[in-house]
Amino acid sequence: MTVDYGTRTGTTMLAIEDIHVYYGNIAAVKGLSLKVDNGEIVTLLGSNGAGKSTTLRTISGLLRPRKGHVVFENQRLDGVAAHDVVARGIAQSPEGRRIFPRMTVSENLDLGAFLRRDRTEIAADKESVLELFPRLRERITQKAGTLSGGEQQMLAVARALMARPKLLLLDEPSMGLAPVLVDLIFDTIARIREQGTTVLLVEQNALAALRVADRAYVLESGTLKLAGPATELAKDPEIVKAYLGG
C-alpha cells in the first residue's frame, strides 16, 4: 500500500511500510503503512485493540515486525535496539505514564537525558521543559508518585522531551484526565510542534486529537481503515458516528 497525503513540509521523517506485528500467533497490526513528515502532528485513532500502541512500540524498537519496514530519516529501524532508537532521535511518552514514583520530578527528568552527554545543553533543556510545564517546576523536589494524574502525564511528556527527540511519540496523553487538563495537554502538544519537534500521537479522544493534528490515520483491528487531513476526517460521517458521538 502506498500512502501519500498532503503535508506541511513534504519531507518524510518516518515511513512505516506494510508492517505486520504479532503477539505470539495473534496478529496485532496487519499490513499497516503510514508516514509522518517533518514538522507535522499526525494522530492515530481507533478503538481499544486497534493496534495503535503496538504501532508505537514497534517504532520504538520494543516490538519487531514480522514483515515490513520502519524507516526513520532514510534509515531502517526495524531490528534496531530500543536504546539505539532513542539515540537516533525518537522518544516515547508511554501509555499509563510509567514515571518512576519513588524518584523526584528532577530525577525523572534527568533520566530522560540518560543517553546524552551534552551537560550544558541538558541543563538548558531542563529549563525549557519546566517553562513548558510550570507545575513541574513547583514540584521539582517532590516524589513523582505523589503528583496528581495530570502532573504525572506532564512529567512523562517532559521526560521524553529531555531526550531532545526529533520525533515525539505520545501514547494516550489525555487518558484519565479532567477536561481542563485535556485542553492543557493538547495546547502543550501544539506548542511542542511549534518549538520544532514532530509528533506522532495515539489518542482515543478523537475530537481533541483532530483539532491539533495535521493528518490522521484510523486503525481498525490492526488495519488501516481511513486516512487523510485531520480537518476532513473530522467531518467524515463514519468518524463522527464512531468516535465523536454523532
Side-chain angles (χ1 to χ4, degrees), residues 55-236:
T55 300
L56 293 195
R57 294 187 190 112
T58 304
I59 296 168
S60 295
L62 299 173
L63 297 171
R64 295 189 178 184
R66 192 171 294 182
K67 178 184 176 183
H69 307 306
V70 179
V71 180
F72 179 69
E73 295 190 325
N74 298 316
Q75 293 188 332
R76 290 270 298 274
L77 281 187
D78 44 291
V80 173
H83 64 277
D84 287 330
V85 172
V86 176
R88 292 190 188 192
I90 298 177
Q92 180 171 349
S93 174
E95 181 181 0
R97 298 147 195 166
R98 306 288 180 88
I99 49 94
F100 296 95
R102 297 185 181 180
M103 302 179 76
T104 66
V105 168
S106 181
E107 289 167 340
N108 270 268
L109 293 177
D110 290 341
L111 281 175
F114 179 76
L115 292 179
R116 296 175 57 183
R117 298 294 179 263
D118 50 340
R119 295 300 168 190
T120 302
E121 294 188 17
I122 289 173
D125 286 348
K126 193 171 186 177
E127 180 62 25
S128 294
V129 299
L130 292 175
E131 289 179 5
L132 196 62
F133 297 104
R135 293 193 191 188
L136 296 182
R137 187 190 299 278
E138 298 170 5
R139 291 154 175 76
I140 194 69
T141 61
Q142 193 169 320
K143 298 289 186 184
T146 66
L147 301 178
S148 69
E151 291 163 350
Q152 289 185 16
Q153 185 61 66
M154 294 173 196
L155 179 56
V157 175
R159 182 183 59 189
L161 288 172
M162 286 299 297
R164 191 179 276 188
K166 300 173 186 177
L167 174 63
L168 177 63
L169 309 179
L170 298 176
D171 196 349
E172 302 287 4
S174 76
M175 181 180 289
L177 301 185
V180 64
L181 290 178
V182 172
D183 291 341
L184 176 60
I185 287 293
F186 279 96
D187 287 345
T188 304
I189 292 170
R191 290 177 60 193
I192 289 169
R193 189 263 294 280
E194 290 168 2
Q195 293 176 1
T197 303
T198 303
V199 178
L200 178 58
L201 166 68
V202 160
E203 183 56 56
Q204 284 196 29
N205 187 334
L207 182 59
L210 290 170
R211 282 175 177 168
V212 76
D214 299 294
R215 294 185 302 110
Y217 295 88
V218 181
L219 304 186
E220 186 176 281
S221 300
T223 61
L224 180 62
K225 182 179 181 182
L226 292 169
T231 52
E232 293 184 11
L233 288 187
K235 301 173 185 176
D236 187 290

